[in-house]
Every structure is written in structure tokens, then in C-alpha cells.
Amino acid sequence: MRIATWNVNSVKARMPRLLAWLQDRQPDVVLMQETKSTDAAWPAAEFAALGYESAHYGDGRWNGVAALSRVGLDDVTRALPGQPTFDGALESRALGVTAAGFRLWSLYVPNGRALDHPHYAYKLEFLAAVQRQAAAELRELPRDAAPFALLGDFNVAPTDQDVWDVAEFVGRTHVSAPERQALEQLAQGTGSVESSLPELMPRASADVDDQRHPYTFWEHRMLGFPKGRGMRIDLVLANAAFRGRVGDVWVDRDARRGQGASDHAPVVIDLD
DNA sequence: ATGTCGTGCAAAGCACGA
């Protein structure tokens, strides 16, 4: 069983590489973020041709979350109960699905923009809503027997080692104490620390700058990838039932290379 | 600090978000 999470930064623009990647990597389940698609424009038929059912929840121009599965796709939940709005709008940033008995959430956490920006408060409120929903769903699970995970673009670097130069981030979002505390609360709420811990990543590419802290995102701007200026912000938070089945977690850096790449690389989880 | 992308609108240039 292979589960992946990937911020594709427009499904339309990524389609050629995405289809090739599915055929090459053969994931069973893929959680996507930033599809930038409407439900009407979602290319379900092209995914179906490769054997994937899909569910999509999208605004159109911004956001958009989705799930592909070739092992069943049920109990689709669009948005978090009590999810905060921004400028009065409910944004498509959360999609819950059940696949092969795995309860999974595809999450695109708000960026925050700046510490004094309303988007930052929105980000913290969103993380609190994730926490409430995770806690509610975990209470329903039979004695932690069912695997549960929160996957996606959290827009938070868990530690100082998860950004290319911490000095660049002083006073900025993604590294602030409240964001990291919200992430830590989430980790506690799932009965787990992150699954994408360094010791679980033996298959990280040989040319990774720091294999203990593989990045998942490099800005398109400023030649972020060629210069190695990355961040680890695409995360997997999982309960014990999920963690107990994890054989390997790795960042697919090849998907970040070359023309037509998203600014995020997929995080791939191989389970027994 | 911002060299790149992607989108939508309404028009091939800009505003916005990241």
C-alpha cells in the first residue's frame, strides 16, 4: 500500500507530469492540494483511465483539495466542521476520505502571509479546526484500530532544521512559535508525532542536502530549487495504527526537477 | 531582495497569491 501527498500547484498545468508520475510510482492513494480547479473542470475521466476513483473539492482559481484512490474511496467530507472563513468565504482547503479502511485528510493550511496579517490569525484558526475534527474522528475510531492520518501542505516548518536558513525567517510565518504550537497540538491530537520523521526516510535521494531533514518545497522564485533553498512543510501526522504499518517515508525529489514541475515534491508513504 | 510560476479577466497586459 502506497499513499502520497502532493501540492500539485494547479492540476491542469501539472496534468502531463502528474499522469506520468502516477504510472511510474504507482501510488494506491494520492492526496492533493492546490488543484486550482473547479469540481466541473476536475479531470476525473483521465484519472479513471489509470484506475483511480477521485474526489475533488475546489473553488476554481485558488486552493482546491482532492483524493485519488484505486483501493476504494468512501465517506467523502468536504471542508472541516466549523472551518473558519476568510473575507467571508469558506475556502476549499480540507477533504476527508476513507480508502481501504484508512481515514485520511488532504489539507491545504492557509499560508498566513505575515505575522500581523489577518491571514495569519486565519491560519491558526484553521489549524484549531483541524485539531477539533481530528480529535472528534479519533474518538469514534475503535480503540485506535483504524489508521488515521492528516496529510498535506501545512505551511509550517516543524523545526529550525526544516528551513534552508533560519536567519531568513526571523519575524516571518511558517516558523513562529504559535504555528509550531498548533502543529504540536495536532500531533498530540493524533496520538502521534509526525510520521515523516528523519529516521523513517532511508530512501531519501542520494543528493538530498540534508537527509535528516529533507525538504518538500522550494520556491519557484529566486531559483529556490537549484540553490537548495527549501522547506519541509508537507507533513504526515498519523495515529499509532497508521504508524505501525509505515515501512518507509520519502520525498520524491525527481518530481521537483526540470520543466513543468510544481514547487512542491510529493511525500510518499509505503505501508506494510 | 525577489531572478518564477499559475490563474482569471478581458484583452496579449495586469493583478493576485505563493
Side-chain angles (χ1 to χ4, degrees):
Chain A
M1 175 91 163
R2 171 171 283 179
I3 300 174
T5 180
W6 192 6
N7 179 323
V8 295
N9 188 6
S10 170
V11 72
K12 184 181 175 186
R14 213 62 57 219
M15 210 51 182
R17 285 187 65 139
L18 179 52
L19 293 174
W21 181 84
L22 290 170
Q23 291 180 284
D24 186 35
R25 300 305 195 199
Q26 294 288 317
D28 296 294
V29 180
V30 184
L31 290 309
M32 282 185 231
Q33 303 85 36
E34 274 204 277
T35 64
K36 298 183 176 178
S37 182
T38 60
D39 292 345
W42 176 249
E46 291 180 75
F47 295 128
L50 296 183
Y52 292 95
E53 293 178 73
S54 63
H56 177 260
Y57 172 37
D59 294 334
R61 188 175 187 184
W62 308 117
N63 314 308
V65 280
L68 307 185
S69 175
R70 60 182 190 187
V71 291
L73 194 60
D74 302 297
D75 303 323
V76 176
T77 310
R78 294 157 64 93
L80 298 159
Q83 182 177 314
T85 58
F86 189 72
D87 280 346
L90 179 65
E91 298 182 316
S92 51
R93 294 178 175 275
L95 183 78
V97 299
T98 301
F102 283 68
R103 181 60 178 172
L104 308 168
W105 279 88
S106 177
L107 301 172
Y108 176 45
V109 175
N111 175 284
R113 300 182 188 170
L115 298 183
D116 59 355
H117 195 285
H119 212 256
Y120 179 74
Y122 171 52
K123 180 180 195 173
L124 295 178
E125 291 166 13
F126 184 92
L127 286 166
V130 174
Q131 160 75 25
R132 288 194 301 271
Q133 181 62 14
E137 292 197 1
L138 286 163
R139 277 197 299 273
E140 301 288 321
L141 291 181
R143 301 175 68 82
D144 203 35
F148 174 93
L150 307 168
L151 307 96
D153 177 1
F154 284 76
N155 270 316
V156 180
T159 73
D160 285 353
Q161 286 70 48
D162 296 316
V163 295
W164 61 275
D165 181 2
V166 70
E168 290 282 334
F169 288 85
V170 172
R172 291 172 55 190
T173 61
H174 293 62
V175 302
S176 73
E179 291 166 83
R180 287 179 171 168
Q181 284 161 11
L183 196 64
E184 179 59 28
Q185 288 217 319
L186 263 181
Q188 291 170 6
T190 61
S192 170
V193 293
E194 291 170 71
S195 283
S196 51
L197 286 171
E199 61 266 30
L200 292 174
M201 308 193 69
R203 286 185 53 188
S205 304
D207 61 343
V208 162
D209 302 307
D210 180 348
Q211 294 196 22
R212 293 168 301 162
H213 295 279
Y215 301 140
T216 64
F217 164 81
W218 300 258
E219 280 199 336
H220 277 133
R221 280 177 295 190
M222 296 301 297
L223 308 173
F225 188 65
K227 292 185 176 180
R229 301 181 180 194
M231 305 172 73
R232 188 170 70 98
I233 56 176
D234 298 272
L235 307 172
V236 183
L237 305 178
N239 72 346
F242 187 107
R243 285 173 60 81
R245 293 178 60 175
V246 172
D248 198 1
V249 184
W250 49 288
V251 177
D252 192 353
R253 279 168 66 103
D254 287 341
R256 181 63 181 81
R257 297 180 207 283
Q259 291 296 310
S262 170
D263 41 8
H264 294 253
V267 176
V268 184
I269 308 115
D270 290 322
L271 301 121
D272 301 323

